[in-house]
Each structure stands twice: as C-alpha cells, then as structure tokens.
Amino acid sequence: MMGVVSEGRPIVDLTDDEARRALVLKWGTVDPDVLPAWVAEMDYALDPVVAAAVTDLVTAGGAGYPTDDGSVGAAYTGFAARHLGWQLPADSSVVVGDVIGGIRLALDVWAEPGPVVVHAPAYPPFFDVIPLTGRERVDLPLDPDADAAAMDLDELDQAFAAGARVLLLCNPHNPWGRVFTRAELEGVRDVVTAHGGQVIADEIHGPLTLPGATFTAYQSLAGTAEHAVTVTSPSKAFNVAGLHCAHLVSTSERTLARLREVPLVRNHAYSPLGIAAAVTAYTHGDPWLASLVERLDQQRSLLRELLDERLPKARMRPLEATFLAWVDLRGYGYDDPAAVALERGRVMLGSGHDYHPGLAGHARINIATSPDRLIAIVTRLAAALTGR
Ligand SMILES: Cc1ncc(COP(=O)(O)O)c(C=O)c1O
C-alpha cells in the first residue's frame, strides 16, 4: 500500500492485488486485465480507526444480533452539525440495513400510496425500488443538452398535479454530481407542500461535498419535518457498504414512531459491525474524511485535465460532490461508450443506459482511485473511442 501524505490521516491507495481482495464486486467480477471504474467503491484502504473498531469488535466476539441502541443516531447528530450544517436532536435516526432498504421501508410504511417521482439519470436501484413497492414510477429526465443539471420545478409541479405523491430526491445527486442549492431545495419544498406531497431524501453523498459547493440537508429547511424522511449511511464516504448500516433520519415524532413500530422482521438487516463502523466513522472519522475530500478534489481536477487533453469532445458535468463523474461522450458517436471502452480499452465504466435508459453516448466514471490509475482509465478510454 502506498500512502499519500496530507494533513490528518492520509489516504492509502490499495495495490491491484489488495483491491482485488478487498473489493470483490468492483475488482473481482471483471477480467484481470480490466481496470474497474464502475460501481461506487473507492480503491483506498479503510480509515484505520474505523477498521480497528470493527476488528476489535470481531476479536471480542461481537458477531451476534445487533440492536439499534441509539448510538448511530447520537453519533450522526454530532457529524451532521460539524459537516452538514444540520442541527438535529440525538434520537432522530432509525437504523436500517442499507439505503435502498431504508427507502423501501419508508415507501412501504410511511409514504402515502401513489406514484413516486424520480429524476433521471438516477442511481439505477431507484428505478427498481419504486415498482418493488407496488407503486408507479414517474421519471423526470434531465435534458442532456441543458447547460446546468437542475431540477425543473414546473415539471415537478405538473407531476404532483397529475397525482404523484412522493419525490425520491437524491441530494447530492448521483450521477448528476450536483449539490442542490438551498434555493433549489426551497423550490422543491414549496412545490411538494402545495400538493401535500412527501419527500424521501437520499443524502448518502452529503459528506462527499467537494470544495466550492455547500451542502444543504433537505430537512434542515423550515417546513419539511412532517413531509420528509432522509436516508443516509457512512457507506459511501467511508467505503463500508458491505458492513450494512444505514439510517433513516426524521425530526418528526410521528414519523419516528411509525418507523420504529414496524415488526423486527420488517427491518432486521443491519449488522453490529456496521453499527460499530458507523459510530466510529461519525465520531472519529473527521481527519480521514478531510484527507479523502482533498484527494477527490485533486482527482476531479485531474479528470478534467485528462478529458480536455485526450477527449476534447467529452462534456463533463461539474462534479460538485461524489466521486462519480457523469460524462457526455456523444461527440464520439457511440450509443454505449462504456461497452466500447470495455471491449477495446479494457476499462469498465458505468454505462449511461443503466442510469438513464435509452440515453445514448453517456458514461459514469469512478475517480476514487490513484492518480496513476485515473490516467490509465482515461488513456484507455480515449484509445477505445478515438483509435489513438
Ligand atoms: C445515491 C445512492 N444511494 C444509495 C446507494 C447505496 O447505498 P448502500 O448500499 O451503501 O446503502 C448508493 C450507492 O452507490 C448511491 O449512490
């Protein structure tokens, strides 16, 4: 493992062999000659403090059934105040196994029946979880030629006027890369309030807001507590998705009671190791997170330079948060540039079709890797698309 020194705890790049062992989906399911830049996992060693908390617990035999003892919620309250500008009571969280499980729980037991709105392109499981709960999905596609990746409030208003009851909001947005401004979110709130609708806000990428943008938690806006539920997790910011601990956040007593009264069998997929990781990350992870954000900021600049130099017809949406860049490669004339990149360049990107079915020429590039690998990723992509 090679360390890159910055202030606080450094980000340590995994070697290829270490990454293959650690990240069995991202690295283990592609051929050995393929560079993986697809699923949202980072090629970095865990924050050693988080890793130690988990290994200490395993060593002590802590592999039994978990309990939601309030520790995740209490730790998140401190984290949200320090990082997200969000002041919350300590007991505002209900632990769930993962974010999509939390969205499903909220749809099943909290949301009113009726169609659910989702902005496309979207994190693909958003498309599946809505019909899984027996609801109609209303897609609001972003115009790929629009200058800014912005939510169209008139369209949202029309969707609610036509009968939609819930907005599944992604803030910051994967894969748009947007951190919605307070004014944009206030606009959403006003539309939703006018129709008596509800919002499920996935804010998993909030801690990955990069320099230049300011994150606003949807529920930090006045007048949202009774119509919104937030779902979040340390899994993206701290790379611990496999430990299974996410949480729903609400400041409404009524909503919390509703979510807590479900039978255990409805919500028992979280793990004691995930809880230990979450509490430790939220309480002691600040120095590592600072190093991570610094690294991702550098990687974002590097990607921009590489694209300018090697793929000048690429159009990259500004990456305000996340480590997932949404790139318009229509200038190179391929319906699915990710498929071409895999076949000819041996690099695995996210296919645009997965995020926006039917949208040609787009791909998502995961930049959470070493600078050398990012150079190789873009070099291979450019060779695949341009033959040079
Ligand atoms: C917007 C969004 N929500 C949810 C998830 C899944 O989160 P997890 O499975 O770690 O709970 C992801 C993963 O990439 C994501 O990008």
Side-chain angles (χ1 to χ4, degrees):
M1 293 195 281
M2 284 169 37
V4 176
V5 180
S6 73
E7 280 188 29
R9 287 200 288 281
I11 294 302
V12 176
D13 291 290
L14 298 175
T15 65
D16 289 10
D17 285 344
E18 288 166 343
R20 269 185 209 105
R21 182 151 181 243
L23 304 170
V24 294
L25 177 65
K26 185 181 184 188
W27 281 77
T29 59
V30 296
D31 290 340
D33 65 327
V34 169
L35 256 181
W38 60 295
V39 67
E41 296 189 296
M42 303 188 284
D43 301 339
Y44 307 138
L46 296 181
D47 178 356
V49 175
V50 173
V54 175
T55 45
D56 286 355
L57 185 58
V58 173
T59 305
Y65 291 118
T67 179
D68 181 0
D69 59 359
S71 55
V72 172
Y76 185 70
T77 293
F79 183 85
R82 294 193 308 280
H83 292 275
L84 309 175
W86 190 14
Q87 310 301 327
L88 277 168
D91 57 351
S92 313
S93 284
V94 176
V95 172
V96 292
D98 55 41
V99 164
I100 292 299
I103 291 170
R104 189 170 178 182
L105 184 70
L107 283 171
D108 277 342
V109 309
W110 171 78
E112 286 177 38
V116 180
V117 179
V118 62
H119 288 97
Y123 172 59
F126 273 26
F127 293 131
D128 297 326
V129 72
I130 296 168
L132 260 182
T133 65
R135 286 151 195 265
E136 189 190 327
R137 199 181 82 211
V138 180
D139 294 358
L140 295 185
L142 174 68
D143 174 359
D145 293 313
D147 285 341
M151 290 182 283
D152 184 327
L153 293 181
D154 290 335
E155 270 182 5
L156 186 64
D157 187 55
Q158 284 157 23
F160 275 101
R165 300 307 302 140
V166 183
L167 167 66
L168 180 49
L169 174 71
C170 192
N171 172 45
H173 200 283
N174 167 23
W176 297 8
R178 279 295 319 283
V179 178
F180 296 119
T181 62
R182 174 170 287 271
E184 282 174 292
L185 294 172
E186 284 171 348
V188 169
R189 174 201 60 195
D190 294 346
V191 169
V192 171
T193 306
H195 294 281
Q198 295 176 303
V199 174
I200 299 174
D202 176 341
E203 296 188 344
I204 192 171
H205 292 285
L208 296 176
T209 299
L210 300 177
T214 303
F215 173 75
T216 303
Y218 183 74
Q219 280 192 72
S220 69
L221 302 181
T224 55
E226 292 303 328
H227 78 229
V229 158
T230 301
V231 198
T232 194
S233 166
S235 60
K236 292 301 115 182
F238 290 91
N239 221 18
V240 290
L243 294 177
H244 280 279
C245 175
H247 48 122
L248 292 157
V249 187
S250 168
T251 55
S252 155
E253 286 306 324
R254 213 154 42 120
T255 301
L256 288 169
R258 182 77 201 94
L259 295 169
R260 286 186 174 132
E261 76 191 8
V262 299
L264 186 61
V265 68
R266 190 78 194 65
N267 179 30
H268 63 174
Y270 47 92
S271 127
L273 304 179
I275 290 179
V279 171
T280 306
Y282 285 151
T283 311
H284 302 293
D286 292 6
W288 191 85
L289 183 60
S291 299
L292 176 66
V293 167
E294 189 182 316
R295 168 66 83 87
L296 296 180
D297 187 21
Q298 291 160 0
Q299 292 292 92
R300 144 178 97 160
S301 303
L302 178 59
L303 177 63
R304 165 83 53 207
E305 282 165 31
L306 291 166
L307 290 176
D308 285 350
E309 190 184 301
R310 303 189 192 182
L311 284 167
K313 290 192 252 175
R315 197 168 145 258
M316 176 182 151
R317 292 254 174 225
L319 195 60
E320 298 172 343
T322 83
F323 47 85
L324 307 159
W326 183 244
V327 187
D328 177 354
L329 295 162
R330 284 177 296 172
Y332 294 93
Y334 295 102
D335 173 60
D336 188 359
V340 178
L342 180 60
E343 195 186 310
R344 296 192 197 153
R346 310 306 284 155
V347 59
M348 175 99 160
L349 312 178
S351 163
H353 288 290
D354 292 343
Y355 303 85
H356 186 161
L359 178 68
H362 285 69
R364 196 188 75 169
I365 304 177
N366 180 339
I367 64 166
T369 192
S370 65
D372 285 352
R373 279 200 202 99
L374 188 57
I375 292 168
I377 288 164
V378 179
T379 304
R380 290 182 185 204
L381 174 64
L385 298 185
T386 67
R388 275 180 279 126

